Amino acid sequence: MNKVLDTVDQRTQLVGENRLELLLFRISSTQLFAINVFKVKEVVKLPAINMLPGSNPKIYGVANIRGTSIPVINLREAIGFSKMPITDDSNLIITEYNRSVQAFLVGKVEHIINMTWSDIMPPPKTSGAHNYLTAITKVEQEGITHLVSIIDVEKVLAEIIDYDVSLSEGVLDETLVPSMPGRKVLIVDDSSTARKQVRDTLTPLGIEIIEASDGLQALRLLQSWADEGKHVADELLMMITDAEMPEMDGYKLTAEVRTDPRMTSLFITLNTSLSGSFNKAMVEKVGCNEFISKFQPDLLVGVVQDRLRSLLAP
């Protein structure tokens, strides 16, 4: 199954071109689901699982993968479906999010598809605020169009792992606190959970949060301000954007901002759960000012404070 996954170096060539690869899999016989290949370390057939009495009920157990103990999350149950039976088609998709490694128990793993972010659509608004999808798309298989649901893995993990938004002692610069209220930060992320994590960290400091759920929505907002004669860099302390989003990814968004003279000086921070050294290279390529991996409140506040210091410096 690992042969399905290409090398990281080859996959990184898609980043910055508003393209992505999705790994398709099933957790039910009738629906296709997907996650970004970039977050997948490998796919393995279901090995022996050690149970963990007293653990979160969404944790199926622990798998030993080449000497490393990896928690296994029953993805079907984690997104609200009934318990998934174990069959010969059962697999583990081992992923890395927010600097942690975990495996998702799924059924049959299908194949990888190459898409553009413009092919990826937000979930219908009528699906409610509590769904576990960041986006949907369509694929053709044997002449039949199938709907593919892209899982909001950050939401799944947030319901299992308690993300602490408190700051470590000494991180907050008290001399800057009086200058924070009224400052505005634009958060661009397709995951409502990720936006909430950033919001819960910065709002207590008095910072006003403006939200967009994808890069195209954010770009249109910034363009509308510029059309009204506003200086975007004066309106916002910074923009904090995810990398992968429907319709327009964070790299493409940054590149669009940098080519528009009305907003080219906007301070942009890339905040992503994607792992790998390619991120720093991509930050330089498209013109982001900073890069931090999710979710690290201390680093997030540190970037905000550094930006504020630069504005207040004589």
Side-chain angles (χ1 to χ4, degrees):
M1 194 67 230
N2 287 335
K3 293 180 180 179
V4 171
L5 301 177
D6 215 334
T7 67
V8 171
D9 286 341
Q10 289 171 313
R11 296 202 308 275
T12 57
Q13 293 175 10
L14 299 178
V15 180
E17 299 178 6
N18 214 38
R19 294 164 56 210
L20 77 159
E21 287 180 323
L22 295 175
L23 178 64
L24 303 184
F25 60 90
R26 295 184 183 274
I27 54 177
S28 72
S29 59
T30 58
Q31 289 181 264
L32 277 173
F33 293 85
I35 61 174
N36 193 327
V37 169
F38 241 6
K39 299 183 178 180
V40 178
K41 294 174 68 69
E42 61 180 314
V43 178
V44 298
K45 296 298 294 183
L46 182 63
I49 302 293
N50 295 316
M51 299 297 108
L52 286 177
S55 64
N56 187 294
K58 296 175 182 178
I59 299 291
Y60 183 70
V62 173
N64 188 308
I65 307 295
R66 286 183 292 282
T68 300
S69 295
I70 299 177
V72 176
I73 297 169
N74 189 323
L75 188 56
R76 180 182 168 104
E77 289 190 79
I79 64 173
F81 287 8
S82 60
K83 187 173 182 178
M84 185 176 70
I86 302 302
T87 70
D88 291 340
D89 284 334
S90 296
N91 291 277
L92 293 185
I93 301 177
I94 301 173
T95 66
E96 185 170 356
Y97 283 81
N98 306 342
R99 309 171 319 282
S100 69
V101 176
Q102 54 281 309
F104 292 102
L105 172 62
V106 301
K108 183 180 179 181
V109 174
E110 297 277 346
H111 55 277
I112 288 173
I113 56 173
N114 191 314
M115 310 283 288
T116 68
W117 278 109
S118 59
D119 296 323
I120 310 299
M121 301 165 287
K125 293 182 179 179
T126 53
S127 60
H130 301 293
N131 70 80
Y132 289 88
L133 306 181
T134 58
I136 58 174
T137 191
K138 296 177 181 178
V139 297
E140 293 283 338
Q141 289 186 339
E142 299 178 352
I144 301 175
T145 300
H146 297 270
L147 193 67
V148 178
S149 301
I150 302 174
I151 300 290
D152 185 348
V153 177
E154 288 165 347
K155 179 177 176 65
V156 172
L157 293 177
E159 294 181 353
I160 297 173
I161 303 169
D162 183 19
Y163 289 114
D164 186 3
V165 298
S166 62
L167 300 178
S168 300
E169 185 176 354
V171 169
L172 188 61
D173 185 342
E174 297 294 342
T175 65
L176 293 174
V177 171
S179 301
M180 291 183 181
R183 302 281 181 170
K184 298 177 182 178
V185 169
L186 173 61
I187 300 172
V188 191
D189 202 304
D190 60 330
S191 170
S192 60
T193 298
R195 295 197 305 271
K196 181 178 185 300
Q197 290 169 344
V198 176
R199 186 172 66 246
D200 289 350
T201 302
L202 298 183
T203 299
L205 304 180
I207 293 174
E208 181 181 338
I209 300 300
I210 303 169
E211 299 183 33
S213 58
D214 63 66
L216 185 58
Q217 184 183 99
L219 181 62
R220 287 173 174 166
L221 174 63
L222 297 175
Q223 289 172 335
S224 70
W225 288 351
D227 291 343
E228 293 170 6
K230 297 179 179 179
H231 191 256
V232 171
D234 292 339
E235 291 291 320
L236 295 172
L237 179 65
M238 68 173 61
M239 177 171 71
I240 300 173
T241 180
D242 188 20
E244 50 165 10
M245 295 176 288
E247 299 195 269
M248 179 181 290
D249 66 24
Y251 303 111
K252 178 68 172 176
L253 168 62
T254 301
E256 291 290 331
V257 169
R258 292 294 182 241
T259 57
D260 190 326
R262 302 174 301 171
M263 60 182 80
T264 188
S265 59
L266 176 63
F267 192 95
I268 303 175
T269 296
L270 186 71
N271 184 40
T272 174
S273 58
L274 290 174
S275 300
S277 60
F278 76 93
N279 274 307
K280 292 184 179 180
M282 287 306 305
V283 164
E284 295 177 2
K285 179 179 177 181
V286 301
C288 288
N289 298 96
E290 293 286 349
F291 160 73
I292 53 175
S293 58
K294 298 175 181 177
F295 175 68
Q296 303 183 75
D298 289 356
L299 294 183
L300 178 61
V301 170
V303 168
V304 169
Q305 292 183 151
D306 287 344
R307 174 58 176 160
L308 194 52
R309 286 190 194 98
S310 69
L311 293 176
L312 299 175

